[in-house]
Amino acid sequence: MSQSKHKYYLLALAYLLAGLIDCSVLPKDTWFSPLNLQLGIAVAGLLLMGPKAILCCIPGAICYGLELAAPTVWLAATVALLNLAQALCVFSLLPLFVPEGEFRINDSHRLLLAGPIYSNILFASIFMSLVQFVIAQPLLLQNWLMVWLAQSLSLLIVIPGVYAVLSDKDSLNANWIIELTLIITVVAGGSILLLQGHNVYALEFAYLMFPLFIWSSLRLGQIANSAIALVILLVVSSQYIGETNSIVHTVRLLFLLAIALQTAIFLTASHRENQRAINGARLAGKIFQHASEGILLTDANAKIIAINPAFEKITGFQARDAIGKTSRIFGRQQGQLSVLQSNQLTSLHQIGHWEGEVQDWRKGGGAYPAWLSMSAVRDEYNQITNYVAVFSDYTTRAKSPSKKCAIWHSMMH
């Protein structure tokens, strides 16, 4: 069996098992369950494997439809088609999802919009209309909320969790597993104790969830967030099917869980991006300090804000001589820009880069050829915020310098 076929068979099995689990917490003679893991698994499969993955979900969707609507065949087929159509709808609203292979803040925003806000509201309404057409149901609003929250929690639990497993699997170790086991034990035990038929303990339940999700987000990541949410969801579902908690109380608990989980997803993605930015800045700082080329950084007004040790070594100018001074690379000389300066500015503004050979003078007055490369740094609004110049002593490579210009000596007053 090829690896690709193995993935399709695994998806089909996972979707079928999810349907069985969903049906297991479906109260007798009702259409509404607080659990809908099938939707999350189907969408995850589509995102990872493409549109053909929906074919793997057909057997599981048929089985779920028959379990829910038997013996009415047309109704079972309609339920199956609705489930598959909803998965395709969410998938269609998430093109190029997680393009870098790691779940980010922008991905969490897109998932929230595509799933809970757009698709789930639509398909929960369609499903409720179908049920009302077949058999009029009491507590219409509460049942609609139950369906919508079950669909939304499925997406918020499964999709970030699957992507986290794929991106973080190499970083999992024994300490991580021990910590996850501990937190799940606390969550399961606390949930059972707090929710055992005591509706007044919903606030205490929220106090349990939010600190644990914060701990999980900062320490363990999205995998733990999904595991904790799944445990809580199973506890809530089991108590609902056992008629320990009413539908109104169950909807409240699911709503609290959805808020806590979405907060945890945002917090984890934000924490990971901050860590990535810190690591990137630390690496860039090391490169800046140890580069053999001279590096100069200015603000948008050409005021020097940083130089590296190689700059000092090549030019002889120390940091105290340069930082805070206005670079005259772009300054006017005798009221006008030189031809070279005009070419540099035009290139930097149009394509963001200029490079060429120039002539420079050291602090002691000696001239030397240098190869200069300059880049413009832009912000999210496409405005230039900084200029970066990198140069190297070209003495050993260039015998006859071209386009000579006194650059570095003229950068300081």
Side-chain angles (χ1 to χ4, degrees):
M1 182 186 301
S2 66
Q3 187 176 4
S4 59
K5 289 184 178 180
H6 177 74
K7 291 180 179 179
Y8 286 110
Y9 284 122
L10 184 61
L11 174 61
L13 179 60
Y15 190 80
L16 181 61
L17 291 176
L20 295 176
I21 295 173
D22 293 343
C23 290
S24 68
V25 295
L26 187 66
K28 187 177 181 181
D29 298 327
T30 65
W31 292 70
F32 314 109
S33 167
L35 206 58
N36 188 353
L37 296 178
Q38 277 192 319
L39 176 60
I41 290 175
V43 175
L46 287 166
L47 291 172
L48 293 173
M49 301 162 58
K52 289 183 179 180
I54 199 66
L55 300 176
C56 303
C57 301
I58 293 176
I62 293 174
C63 291
Y64 181 81
L66 290 173
E67 180 67 24
L68 188 67
T72 309
V73 176
W74 73 266
L75 188 56
T78 304
V79 171
L81 288 174
L82 275 178
N83 289 343
L84 297 176
Q86 183 174 8
L88 287 170
C89 180
V90 177
F91 169 67
S92 67
L93 294 174
L94 293 172
L96 300 176
F97 190 64
V98 192
E100 299 179 11
E102 185 172 347
F103 204 80
R104 294 176 177 265
I105 293 179
N106 184 55
D107 299 314
S108 63
H109 291 160
R110 293 179 61 199
L111 177 61
L112 181 64
L113 290 172
I117 294 180
Y118 293 152
S119 299
N120 293 0
I121 289 177
L122 173 63
F123 280 87
S125 301
I126 294 174
F127 180 72
M128 286 301 303
S129 301
L130 175 65
V131 173
Q132 285 295 108
F133 174 76
V134 176
I135 302 175
Q137 298 287 324
L139 301 174
L140 183 62
L141 177 60
Q142 289 81 356
N143 285 321
W144 183 90
L145 286 171
M146 173 87 77
V147 173
W148 176 71
L149 286 167
Q151 295 172 351
S152 301
L153 283 168
S154 175
L155 295 174
L156 297 178
I157 289 173
V158 175
I159 294 177
V162 168
Y163 276 99
V165 168
L166 295 176
S167 63
D168 299 344
K169 58 185 177 182
D170 294 333
S171 63
L172 306 184
N173 52 42
N175 290 335
W176 185 92
I177 295 174
I178 292 172
E179 197 166 349
L180 177 62
T181 303
L182 173 62
I183 197 171
I184 288 179
T185 302
V186 172
V187 167
S191 300
I192 292 172
L193 290 175
L194 286 177
L195 301 180
Q196 191 63 41
H198 298 287
N199 292 357
V200 295
Y201 286 162
L203 185 59
E204 286 82 350
F205 178 62
Y207 287 149
L208 169 70
M209 282 195 300
F210 279 96
L212 289 176
F213 271 122
I214 292 173
W215 179 23
S216 168
S217 299
L218 299 179
R219 291 280 300 171
L220 303 175
Q222 297 285 16
I223 299 176
N225 290 341
S226 295
I228 292 171
L230 181 59
V231 169
I232 295 175
L233 182 58
L234 290 173
V235 171
V236 172
S237 300
S238 65
Q239 294 187 349
Y240 174 66
I241 191 175
E243 299 182 353
T244 303
N245 294 318
S246 65
I247 184 173
V248 174
H249 182 53
T250 300
V251 167
R252 290 174 182 171
L253 296 176
L254 293 178
F255 192 72
L256 286 173
L257 176 57
I259 294 175
L261 178 57
Q262 185 61 63
T263 302
I265 292 172
F266 284 150
L267 181 59
T268 301
S270 176
H271 178 66
R272 294 291 290 272
E273 291 191 14
N274 289 339
Q275 286 295 116
R276 192 181 301 108
I278 291 172
N279 293 336
R282 186 180 295 115
L283 177 61
K286 291 181 179 179
I287 295 173
F288 185 80
Q289 291 296 321
H290 295 92
S292 60
E293 295 83 6
I295 302 175
L296 169 73
L297 179 64
T298 77
D299 61 17
N301 297 316
K303 182 171 288 187
I304 301 170
I305 59 178
I307 62 173
N308 73 333
F311 178 99
E312 300 178 355
K313 180 179 179 181
I314 295 172
T315 67
F317 290 102
Q318 303 297 309
R320 62 178 176 271
D321 302 321
I323 293 178
K325 304 294 180 61
T326 300
S327 169
R328 298 200 180 182
I329 295 177
F330 313 118
R332 296 178 181 272
Q333 298 180 3
Q334 299 180 349
Q336 62 182 0
L337 295 173
S338 67
V339 175
L340 177 60
Q341 287 174 316
S342 297
N343 291 338
Q344 289 171 336
L345 281 173
T346 300
S347 181
L348 286 170
H349 282 86
Q350 290 183 354
I351 64 176
H353 183 74
W354 179 92
E355 65 178 322
E357 187 179 333
V358 298
Q359 182 169 306
D360 186 21
W361 281 272
R362 306 185 199 278
K363 186 176 183 181
Y368 69 97
W371 187 265
L372 173 64
S373 175
M374 295 188 296
S375 297
V377 179
R378 298 180 181 271
D379 61 15
E380 62 270 23
Y381 304 106
N382 203 36
Q383 299 298 314
I384 294 177
T385 59
N386 300 93
Y387 294 102
V388 180
V390 180
F391 70 99
S392 58
D393 188 341
Y394 214 56
T395 302
T396 59
R397 300 182 184 180
K399 302 299 183 180
S400 301
S402 61
K403 297 183 180 180
K404 297 181 178 180
C405 179
I407 297 292
W408 300 111
H409 186 269
S410 66
M411 286 192 297
M412 276 68 77
H413 291 294

